[in-house]
Amino acid sequence: MEPIQTATGGVSLRAEAGEAREACESRVAPRGWRALAARFDASGYAGIVILALLIVVVFPIALDTFRLNLMGKYLTYAFVAIGLVIAWGYGGVLSLGQGVFFGLGGYAMAMFLKLEASSAAATSTQTTPGIPDFMDWNQLTALPDWWRPFHYLPLSVIAVLVVPTALAFVIGYAMFKRRVGGVYFAIITQAVALILSVLIIGQQGYTGGVNGITDLRTLLGWDIRTDHAKLILYFVNAALLIVALLACRWVQRGKLGTLLLAMRDKEDRVRFSGYDVSMFKVFSFCLAATLAAVGGAMFTLQVGFMSPSFVGIVPSIEMVIYAAVGGRMSLVGAVYGAILVNLGKSWFSESFPNLWLYLMAAMFIGVVMAFPNGLAGLYEAHVRPRIRRFLGVEKREA
């Protein structure tokens, strides 16, 4: 055994013991409220709770009715963004046609509201009373059969959920079973968005054409145009968004989320392990479509119309940008991304009407280049480590 060096010639035994004791103390778990905060942070639900407080408490107090309704519209886009986190961020399925599902959900709700606003008494001045005004303008004399189920709210809600999900299943099953993915799948979804927007515009007598379905007034006799109604719809929208976040978080933390990540990174290895990779992709794509449809239905209720301008290629690409700016691996980040992008869009268009498109493009490019992992990556790299050090979870660097 080598002799122990003295304090003057090296490290003494006492110094070694002191360093060991200091290291042990630095690893002691935090106690009291810090321990609760640390466990809350580690659970992964802290961001959802903070976001819920922001949209349910802070925004209604800080914003007037007009701005709050505008924020409610932004939150409807957040449904699409969190769906893209599951499909694109976790499943590796990049869809550039989410506007299709957003629009189908919005049109299903708009059809019910339009039929309620087109009672025989309200349309007595038309050539054919009892049908929507755009049908009368296009010389239709009877309501099409496929419109009749939308006289009933339960059937309309079922259509909001089932029709977009069924279309996503058909597209996903046809593509993924043939191992069509990546950029080819993205292009196909763009083509679907283009086809649907052209179809809606071309069938003006049945869909309202380029103007869409407008002049929506009541929901089961309740006037949705009043400030009080818009406030209630905002809270309903916020509650549904929080439920969607919790459901998607449950998917992320379970075995399914692990398989989606493994499938995204090593698809062949997951396939050789005996899993049907194509059906996992179909599931993530259908879930994203369902969430987008719910957002579209809430958009129609809050804004009071639906048009093909929300269905085509351009709005679909904007929806992907929401997830990219917020962070395609973060559910909460995607919501913040949707809010930030649309706030920038509104502010730039109000303050710089001739330059706002260039400013929006500069913001997109700047955020992607400076923060490739989005706002969530910025938080994880710079903010969360400081919070964890404050809570005593991580040892401070010397």
Side-chain angles (χ1 to χ4, degrees):
M1 182 180 291
E2 296 180 357
I4 298 175
Q5 298 178 343
T6 62
T8 57
V11 179
S12 67
L13 184 61
R14 182 175 297 176
E16 289 181 355
E19 288 182 0
R21 183 170 59 254
E22 182 183 352
C24 290
E25 289 175 353
S26 67
R27 296 190 189 98
V28 174
R31 298 178 180 178
W33 69 269
R34 291 176 186 265
L36 292 175
R39 285 197 294 269
F40 186 51
D41 176 71
S43 69
Y45 291 97
I48 297 178
V49 172
I50 293 171
L51 177 64
L53 291 174
L54 186 66
I55 63 178
V56 174
V57 178
V58 177
F59 287 162
I61 293 175
L63 302 177
D64 58 31
T65 304
F66 172 76
R67 294 293 176 183
L68 188 64
N69 187 51
L70 208 58
M71 185 60 64
K73 184 177 77 169
Y74 302 160
L75 293 180
T76 62
Y77 297 138
F79 284 93
V80 189
I82 63 176
L84 282 168
V85 170
I86 297 297
W88 178 34
Y90 271 68
V93 178
L94 175 58
S95 170
L96 297 180
Q98 291 303 102
V100 169
F101 311 114
F102 185 86
L104 286 175
Y107 267 96
M109 182 57 67
M111 290 166 71
F112 169 78
L113 298 177
K114 190 62 178 177
L115 287 179
E116 184 171 332
S118 302
S119 63
T123 57
S124 58
T125 58
Q126 294 180 180
T127 304
T128 305
I131 64 174
D133 48 12
F134 57 82
M135 292 185 182
D136 187 66
W137 300 337
N138 286 274
Q139 300 179 352
L140 269 68
T141 58
L143 188 70
D145 290 337
W146 57 276
W147 267 76
R148 297 188 184 280
F150 293 94
H151 276 296
Y152 310 99
L153 181 59
L155 293 179
S156 301
V157 172
I158 291 172
V160 167
L161 299 174
V162 172
V163 173
T165 306
L167 177 60
F169 179 83
V170 171
I171 296 172
Y173 190 86
M175 295 297 105
F176 297 137
K177 279 296 184 180
R178 291 166 175 79
R179 299 190 183 182
V180 177
V183 66
Y184 300 103
F185 180 78
I187 292 172
I188 288 170
T189 55
Q190 273 196 328
V192 173
L194 179 61
I195 291 170
L196 185 61
S197 61
V198 171
L199 181 64
I200 291 173
I201 293 172
Q203 298 297 316
Q204 182 173 337
Y206 300 97
T207 63
V210 69
N211 295 322
I213 301 178
T214 60
D215 196 25
L216 308 178
R217 305 169 188 172
T218 60
L219 174 66
L220 298 178
W222 178 50
D223 193 345
I224 61 174
R225 298 170 296 177
T226 64
D227 290 345
H228 179 67
K230 290 178 180 178
L231 180 63
I232 292 176
L233 288 172
Y234 171 84
F235 283 111
V236 172
N237 187 27
L240 288 175
L241 180 61
I242 293 168
V243 171
L245 283 168
L246 292 173
C248 290
R249 184 60 183 165
W250 178 79
V251 170
Q252 281 185 335
R253 292 175 65 88
K255 182 180 178 181
L256 180 55
T258 304
L259 285 171
L260 288 175
L261 282 176
M263 177 188 70
R264 184 199 66 185
D265 296 333
K266 296 291 183 181
E267 180 177 328
D268 290 336
R269 182 172 295 182
V270 176
R271 182 179 290 110
F272 295 152
S273 298
Y275 293 100
D276 189 348
V277 171
S278 61
M279 293 311 297
F280 283 106
K281 289 185 175 181
V282 170
F283 167 79
S284 63
F285 187 49
C286 289
L287 178 58
T290 304
L291 291 172
V294 173
M298 292 307 303
F299 177 91
T300 299
L301 286 169
Q302 292 212 172
V303 179
F305 76 96
M306 176 52 67
S307 77
S309 61
F310 300 101
V311 177
I313 294 175
V314 173
S316 297
I317 294 176
E318 282 188 5
M319 292 168 184
V320 175
I321 290 173
Y322 303 155
V325 170
R328 69 187 183 103
M329 295 295 295
S330 172
L331 295 170
V332 175
V335 177
Y336 286 119
I339 294 173
L340 178 65
V341 171
N342 284 284
L343 277 176
K345 190 175 179 180
S346 297
W347 186 73
F348 289 148
S349 61
E350 290 173 3
S351 303
F352 309 98
N354 296 324
L355 299 174
W356 73 274
L357 285 174
Y358 299 101
L359 294 174
M360 286 294 294
M363 185 182 74
F364 297 152
I365 295 171
V367 169
V368 172
M369 291 184 65
F371 314 115
N373 294 321
L375 297 175
L378 182 65
Y379 170 81
E380 289 291 336
H382 300 285
V383 179
R384 196 179 184 206
R386 289 179 170 83
I387 295 175
R388 290 174 64 83
R389 284 198 296 269
F390 173 74
L391 296 175
V393 179
E394 293 181 357
K395 182 183 176 182
R396 292 182 179 270
E397 297 181 359

